[in-house]
Amino acid sequence: MITRVLKNTLAKRVDHKKAIILLGPRQVGKTTLITEIAASLGDHLFIDGDDPETRLQWSNPSKAFVERYVGKHKVVVIDEAQRLENIGVSAKMIIDAKKGVQLFISGSSALELANKMNEPLTGRKWEYLLYPLSWKEIQDHYSFAKTLPRLEEFLITGMYPEVVTHADDAVEILKNLAGSYLYKDILELAGVRRPELLLKILRALAWQVGSEVSYNELAQSVGADKNTVSSYIDLLEKSFVVFKLNPFARNLRREINTKRKIYFYDNGVRNCVIGNFSPLGQRNDVGALWENFIIGERKKYLAYNGFTGNTYFWRDHLGAEIDYVEEAAGKLTAFELKWNPKAKVRFPKAFLDAYQPSSTEAIHRENYWNWLDS
């Protein structure tokens, strides 16, 4: 079993006073991780939010029901909690009714859980996000020497745990996974009225990875209004399918400040959406795949290491651009992401003069591992 970076972080949060909430896409290993920690604490109660009977039992529980159900268990795991109708109130009753109980909660939809849990558990929860496997996790498990040759595989089929550990069946696994949480869970949980529109938007975003996205232009291309497109992208983001990178703009009048870039949490899911698993030598989107992979991996790295700054891309109306910018402790660092290590890299003078970044660096396929495991 591949050890997750978050394991020690979550284990240190066990204090029997606050719920530990683990969010993330389906099939990234949330259940495995929290049940492993729960089991290390002793006998635990597992409540499965995917089970219809369980959902019925917990639709409107009383205090007496909660106390009887939890019984003498000191550790309670609620899996896929967004499917339980009144999970926020139920979680609060478990914490209040049974002193000394450690509650673990997992969920695949930040939207659903936020609506149900924010108020009841205000100040009474630790919240974390689990991503698909990271470069560091895979490297630590298999060794650097065995992980390095799999880079093309990661760019094409991604880094979901089952995909990484069963590489020969990667495409079929991805098709099943995408069919489950992209098309079934999201549509069902969010009550999407126009599922065909959501899929159109998703495919359009998949083709625009690495490019700036205009909601107005996207709305025209899919035949919808801007507000609907915005709400559907927000839904995809809160369901951990995509994430946004906003433009950096401070001093220069000609900087763009309305468009954003949108990336997929996993390259394999992105390629599944467009139905292309061809090897790199047969593709014309290698640059987009590389950018999505590197920014996604950096996102994992920063999240797991407690980064509290902000991340951006930069471009001005004259076409000068920087792929990726990090802002932390009042300092900026700028990065260009190049698949070809011999590609010439020039950081725009307008940006350098205006912001004087503390450092600039090109990240390519011969040095990226230092950036993801430093």
Side-chain angles (χ1 to χ4, degrees), residues 36-99:
E36 183 181 358
I37 297 172
S40 71
L41 300 175
D43 184 35
H44 65 278
L45 174 65
F46 186 85
I47 301 173
D48 184 5
D50 272 336
D51 178 61
E53 185 175 348
T54 300
R55 291 202 296 270
L56 181 62
Q57 292 170 345
W58 284 83
S59 61
N60 189 27
S62 64
K63 181 179 178 181
F65 171 86
V66 170
E67 291 181 346
R68 180 70 64 90
Y69 199 101
V70 173
K72 296 181 179 180
H73 291 96
K74 294 298 182 182
V75 181
V76 178
V77 175
I78 304 178
D79 194 40
E80 295 300 338
Q82 75 278 354
R83 291 184 169 272
L84 301 183
E85 186 176 343
N86 294 295
I87 180 57
V89 175
S90 299
K92 184 177 184 298
M93 284 197 290
I94 291 174
I95 294 173
D96 290 345
K98 292 286 183 178
K99 301 300 181 184

Side-chain angles (χ1 to χ4, degrees), residues 14 16 18 22 24 26 42 69 77-78 138 183 210 227 252 266 268 275 283 303 307:
V14 173
H16 309 293
K18 295 185 178 182
L22 187 60
R26 276 187 176 266
Y69 199 101
V77 175
I78 304 178
I138 297 172
Y183 304 119
N227 291 336
L252 305 180
D266 185 75
R283 305 181 71 115
F307 179 73

Side-chain angles (χ1 to χ4, degrees), residues 307-338:
F307 179 73
T308 57
N310 297 295
T311 58
Y312 309 91
F313 72 95
W314 178 88
R315 189 177 75 81
D316 65 16
H317 290 298
L318 299 178
E321 60 183 335
I322 296 175
D323 292 330
Y324 181 74
V325 177
E326 289 179 359
E327 180 183 36
K331 295 182 178 180
L332 294 175
T333 52
F335 303 90
E336 280 293 293
L337 313 177
K338 302 295 184 184

